[in-house]
Amino acid sequence: KTPFDGKRYMSDARHFRAVGMGQSSNLSIAKNKAQLEAKRTLAQQVQTNLKVVSDAYAQELVGNQAAEAIERFETLAREVTNTTIGDLRTLGEDIRQLEDQTYKVHVAIEVKKKAMMRFLRTKAKNDTKIAELVRAQMVILLDKEIERLESEEE
């Protein structure tokens, strides 16, 4: 049985959660590998969520901008892996030294979905690589998703 198994470490309606594992003879490298794997898993969840969101609102997007907006969402989600997310919390870290003297590190992380959508909205607003109309539509979609998440909390 691996550490951080079970419902408490799975994503739910309010949180994205992920677990990562890293192994190395160097403890800090093992920790970094575990963090990166967890963030990569988190980014995939965010990407899937954004795909669902953009599909749901696709009919509201205008023509060619729809495809560009969806493509840009995917890029934003991938960037999550390489970004420091302010509201990212570590739920736990499990460090074990194995018989071969290597370290095996498991880490569990979470971020509130609403905080992630706000983070992505800020990134989208400041993204100068995309057309103004596409940027505006991305912000509108993220605002709608934030509103939806807020209404579910009530």
Side-chain angles (χ1 to χ4, degrees), residues 84-123:
T84 304
I85 302 158
D87 294 329
L88 192 68
R89 285 185 344 129
T90 300
L91 294 174
E93 185 178 68
D94 180 80
I95 301 169
R96 298 175 189 197
Q97 190 165 18
L98 307 177
E99 288 176 19
D100 64 2
Q101 301 307 303
T102 62
Y103 294 95
K104 192 174 205 173
V105 177
H106 286 85
V107 67
I109 59 174
E110 78 172 5
V111 65
K112 287 184 177 166
K113 288 184 177 182
K114 201 164 54 170
M116 177 57 77
M117 294 304 148
R118 284 191 184 119
F119 170 80
L120 291 169
R121 181 181 58 195
T122 301
K123 286 204 57 101

Side-chain angles (χ1 to χ4, degrees), residues 69-87:
I70 290 165
E71 200 175 291
R72 201 65 205 128
F73 272 133
E74 289 172 359
T75 305
L76 276 178
R78 278 193 301 272
E79 287 174 9
V80 167
T81 312
N82 308 319
T83 310
T84 304
I85 302 158
D87 294 329

Side-chain angles (χ1 to χ4, degrees), residues 6-152:
K7 197 171 182 171
R8 177 167 157 39
Y9 301 102
M10 295 171 73
S11 293
D12 60 25
R14 294 175 71 177
H15 298 90
F16 289 113
R17 293 190 180 105
V19 176
M21 190 278 291
Q23 189 171 338
S24 174
S25 56
N26 180 315
L27 180 58
S28 65
I29 290 174
K31 283 181 176 185
N32 286 341
K33 282 181 174 179
Q35 272 290 346
L36 187 63
E37 185 180 303
K39 276 186 163 183
R40 200 175 291 137
T41 302
L42 201 71
Q44 287 169 339
Q45 291 177 37
V46 171
Q47 195 168 351
T48 301
N49 184 270
L50 287 174
K51 178 101 179 82
V52 170
V53 169
S54 56
D55 286 352
Y57 298 118
Q59 68 277 9
E60 296 176 32
L61 296 175
V62 184
N64 297 341
Q65 279 77 29
E68 192 180 335
I70 290 165
E71 200 175 291
R72 201 65 205 128
F73 272 133
E74 289 172 359
T75 305
L76 276 178
R78 278 193 301 272
E79 287 174 9
V80 167
T81 312
N82 308 319
T83 310
T84 304
I85 302 158
D87 294 329
L88 192 68
R89 285 185 344 129
T90 300
L91 294 174
E93 185 178 68
D94 180 80
I95 301 169
R96 298 175 189 197
Q97 190 165 18
L98 307 177
E99 288 176 19
D100 64 2
Q101 301 307 303
T102 62
Y103 294 95
K104 192 174 205 173
V105 177
H106 286 85
V107 67
I109 59 174
E110 78 172 5
V111 65
K112 287 184 177 166
K113 288 184 177 182
K114 201 164 54 170
M116 177 57 77
M117 294 304 148
R118 284 191 184 119
F119 170 80
L120 291 169
R121 181 181 58 195
T122 301
K123 286 204 57 101
K125 276 183 177 176
N126 299 327
D127 191 340
T128 55
K129 295 182 205 135
I130 51 175
E132 184 60 41
L133 181 61
V134 174
R135 185 174 30 232
Q137 289 183 342
M138 288 174 71
V139 170
I140 289 167
L141 291 185
L142 289 164
D143 282 340
K144 284 184 179 186
E145 184 62 6
I146 291 165
E147 274 176 38
R148 186 188 68 76
L149 290 167
E150 284 172 345
S151 71
E152 286 180 0

